[in-house]
Amino acid sequence: MKLLVLGGTKNLGRHVVEAALLAGHDVTLFNRGQTNPGLFPSVRRLTGSRSQPDALATGEWDGAIDMSGFLVQDVRRSAELLVDRVGHYTFMSSIAVYASKTTPDLDEDAALLPWPEGTPEDVFTMDLYGPSKARCESLLKAHFGDRTSSVRSGFVVGPYNPDFGNWGEALAHGKPLECAARPDQPIQYIHAGDLAAFLLHLTANRIPGPFNAVGPSTTMSTLADAWRTAVPNPPPINWSPPEDRFHLPTDGTNDGTFQLTNNRAVAAGLKLRPDQEIAHDYVTWIKAGNIPPPPPH
């Protein structure tokens, strides 16, 4: 298919473009040309910002994958420009859209965070991250109808992506693992390659709807045990580190966020690799000399 990727040169976006090219898709990138500009030299590039997307004024694509939509106003501009020239629009959303952070087993039909009344659409703060993603989903649905998908994910782990706490670096270099979360605290995440494949699958097959693209819910201690299998003689885990690298509330006020059901996504074609494989893949990448980027938000 002819695929437009908004973003595509960092973190998860790199996985999306690599997978698309491997599958033989005709890829066009739209971004500012400032992040990793030398990547994918054979790919057609349209240069512009989300606030000034004039480069998107012409052209037609079978599908678009929006990896860089944060400001509501910017996503609205893209939707208005592309609605008649893109077959299917897939939006990278977030598990932060849900109104309840404590209810377990939420599915995609659960209540979402409202947009604060009177807030301009060109404003973005971290407090508005969840409401922004939810409002973007709503406006894309209004423009594209059943020609849009919203993919809700949280922690994304894999090459080119931020370290999972400090676990990848710790295991690669024999340092103690650190985790300020409770050992019994729920956690969900996904490998970047699995998420990229799912984004492409939805777009190529024009599968509509929101999807919780997360792995199964587990606990921090169970997950740490799985990650420690990535190396022989793994270091211990420190549950009281001086620095909190996960930044997750430990009082239960966010536990539901990592106990989502992923049944709809799995039924739609999401495939998930096991924790041990995810850990081994990431540790191997770091051992090869790669340095994880900082968290994106």
Side-chain angles (χ1 to χ4, degrees), residues 274-293:
D275 296 320
Q276 292 85 349
E277 183 179 336
I278 295 174
H280 182 270
D281 182 41
Y282 197 59
V283 170
T284 299
W285 181 71
I286 293 179
K287 282 185 174 182
N290 295 290
I291 299 174

Side-chain angles (χ1 to χ4, degrees), residues 74-129:
D74 291 350
V75 174
R76 186 182 297 279
R77 285 192 181 101
S78 301
E80 291 171 349
L81 275 173
L82 297 171
V83 64
D84 295 322
R85 296 182 291 109
V86 163
H88 190 90
Y89 194 109
T90 300
F91 178 65
M92 191 64 235
S93 189
S94 170
I95 58 175
V97 297
Y98 291 107
S100 174
K101 307 301 181 187
T102 58
T103 306
D105 301 320
L106 292 180
D107 65 16
E108 291 84 351
D109 297 325
L112 306 185
L113 289 167
W115 183 250
E117 185 175 353
T119 301
E121 290 188 342
D122 61 350
V123 170
F124 179 80
T125 65
M126 285 311 299
D127 289 341
L128 287 174
Y129 181 70

Side-chain angles (χ1 to χ4, degrees), residues 8-231:
T9 58
K10 63 183 289 188
N11 299 357
L12 175 61
R14 289 182 62 159
H15 288 266
V16 170
V17 176
E18 287 179 356
L21 294 175
L22 186 63
H25 298 305
D26 179 4
V27 178
T28 298
L29 295 181
F30 170 78
N31 54 51
R32 296 173 301 169
Q34 297 179 4
T35 302
N36 298 318
L39 279 179
F40 314 120
S42 65
V43 169
R44 181 189 180 209
R45 293 174 179 272
L46 302 176
T47 302
S49 67
R50 296 301 301 254
S51 61
Q52 295 180 318
D54 297 346
L56 293 176
T58 60
E60 294 185 0
W61 295 271
D62 302 305
I65 299 179
D66 187 346
M67 305 298 303
S68 60
F70 295 100
L71 278 178
V72 177
Q73 180 174 275
D74 291 350
V75 174
R76 186 182 297 279
R77 285 192 181 101
S78 301
E80 291 171 349
L81 275 173
L82 297 171
V83 64
D84 295 322
R85 296 182 291 109
V86 163
H88 190 90
Y89 194 109
T90 300
F91 178 65
M92 191 64 235
S93 189
S94 170
I95 58 175
V97 297
Y98 291 107
S100 174
K101 307 301 181 187
T102 58
T103 306
D105 301 320
L106 292 180
D107 65 16
E108 291 84 351
D109 297 325
L112 306 185
L113 289 167
W115 183 250
E117 185 175 353
T119 301
E121 290 188 342
D122 61 350
V123 170
F124 179 80
T125 65
M126 285 311 299
D127 289 341
L128 287 174
Y129 181 70
S132 292
K133 290 291 189 179
R135 189 166 178 87
C136 288
E137 288 189 20
S138 177
L139 74 86
L140 288 170
K141 176 69 174 178
H143 280 79
F144 289 89
D146 286 339
R147 296 188 294 122
T148 187
S149 309
S150 294
V151 178
R152 301 166 182 168
S153 193
F155 282 114
V156 179
V157 180
Y160 318 133
N161 284 261
D163 200 348
F164 191 59
N166 75 325
W167 290 7
E169 181 186 4
L171 290 168
H173 300 297
K175 301 177 182 179
L177 274 73
E178 297 178 352
C179 185
R182 308 187 320 267
D184 66 342
Q185 192 158 336
I187 187 68
Q188 284 175 301
Y189 74 135
I190 189 171
H191 190 278
D194 296 338
L195 183 52
F198 188 57
L199 288 162
L200 280 171
H201 172 71
L202 295 177
T203 309
N205 293 282
R206 302 192 179 189
I207 302 174
F211 296 95
N212 292 333
V214 293
S217 182
T218 185
T219 65
M220 281 290 191
S221 62
T222 299
L223 187 58
D225 288 341
W227 271 63
R228 292 175 76 243
T229 67
V231 297

